[in-house]
């Protein structure tokens, strides 16, 4: 009998141990995520460069040396995110190392809160900056 696919994809930080518990990034209660949300992860080093260059930044979480940017659900459709990023459907991320709790990665914290009422970082500018940092040409398609 074929195995069912997990409802929560396992794309996350590089080196996530097989079977490590995953937790969903939790947005502040007063921010509306009516479009649903995913997360784009990258190293803190790259994250600092991106933060300085984006005109508008939504919620950004940090877990050890990995930063997670909240984007509208489906921001991966038709795009090839560069290898310096991790895309997490549903914003389920796992602990990079050390002891973990049942719900959240170790040392997870909100490091940037948007000024407005939207938790989202615009995904296209984030995508282009990630491609620039990775030194790759942006790639997208209109077909799934």
């Amino acid at each position: 009998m074929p195995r069912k696919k997990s409802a929560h994809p396992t794309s996350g930080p590089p080196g996530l141990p097989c079977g490590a518990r995953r937790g969903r990034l939790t947005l502040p209660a007063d921010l509306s995520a009516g479009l649903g949300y995913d997360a784009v992860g990258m190293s803190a080093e790259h994250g600092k460069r991106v933060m300085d260059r984006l005109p508008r930044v939504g919620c950004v979480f940090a877990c050890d040396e990995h930063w997670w940017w909240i984007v509208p659900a489906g921001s991966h459709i038709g795009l090839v995110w560069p290898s310096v990023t991790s895309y997490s459907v549903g914003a389920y991320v796992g602990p990079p190392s050390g002891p973990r709790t049942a719900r959240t990665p170790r040392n997870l914290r909100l490091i940037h809160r948007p000024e407005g009422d939207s938790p989202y970082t615009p995904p296209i500018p984030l995508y282009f900056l990630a491609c620039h940092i990775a030194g790759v040409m942006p790639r997208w398609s209109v077909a799934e």
Side-chain angles (χ1 to χ4, degrees):
M1 176 178 245
R3 270 179 32 169
K4 283 186 170 181
K5 283 190 172 184
S6 169
H8 309 296
T10 58
S11 63
L16 181 65
C18 183
R21 292 183 185 256
R22 303 178 66 73
R24 188 171 197 210
L25 296 174
T26 303
L27 302 179
D30 61 328
L31 296 179
S32 174
L35 300 174
Y37 64 98
D38 294 342
V40 175
M42 63 184 70
S43 71
E45 175 187 353
H46 292 322
K48 290 172 188 167
R49 291 175 61 194
V50 168
M51 183 81 79
D52 290 341
R53 289 169 175 82
L54 280 177
R56 191 167 71 84
V57 177
C59 290
V60 180
F61 292 85
C63 183
D64 293 331
E65 290 300 311
H66 210 79
W67 285 18
W68 292 97
W69 305 78
I70 299 299
V71 295
S75 294
H76 64 299
I77 297 172
L79 295 178
V80 178
W81 284 85
S83 62
V84 298
T85 64
S86 301
Y87 194 93
S88 175
V89 173
Y92 287 89
V93 300
S97 62
R100 57 188 180 263
T101 65
R103 297 193 58 122
T104 59
R106 185 170 66 106
N107 299 326
L108 181 64
R109 65 201 180 285
L110 181 68
I111 61 169
H112 184 271
R113 180 188 170 88
E115 291 180 20
D117 60 354
S118 172
Y120 304 120
T121 294
I124 298 304
L126 179 61
Y127 173 72
F128 279 109
L129 277 170
C131 288
H132 175 74
I133 288 170
V136 299
M137 293 295 295
R139 293 183 15 212
W140 60 86
S141 70
V142 291
E144 266 296 299

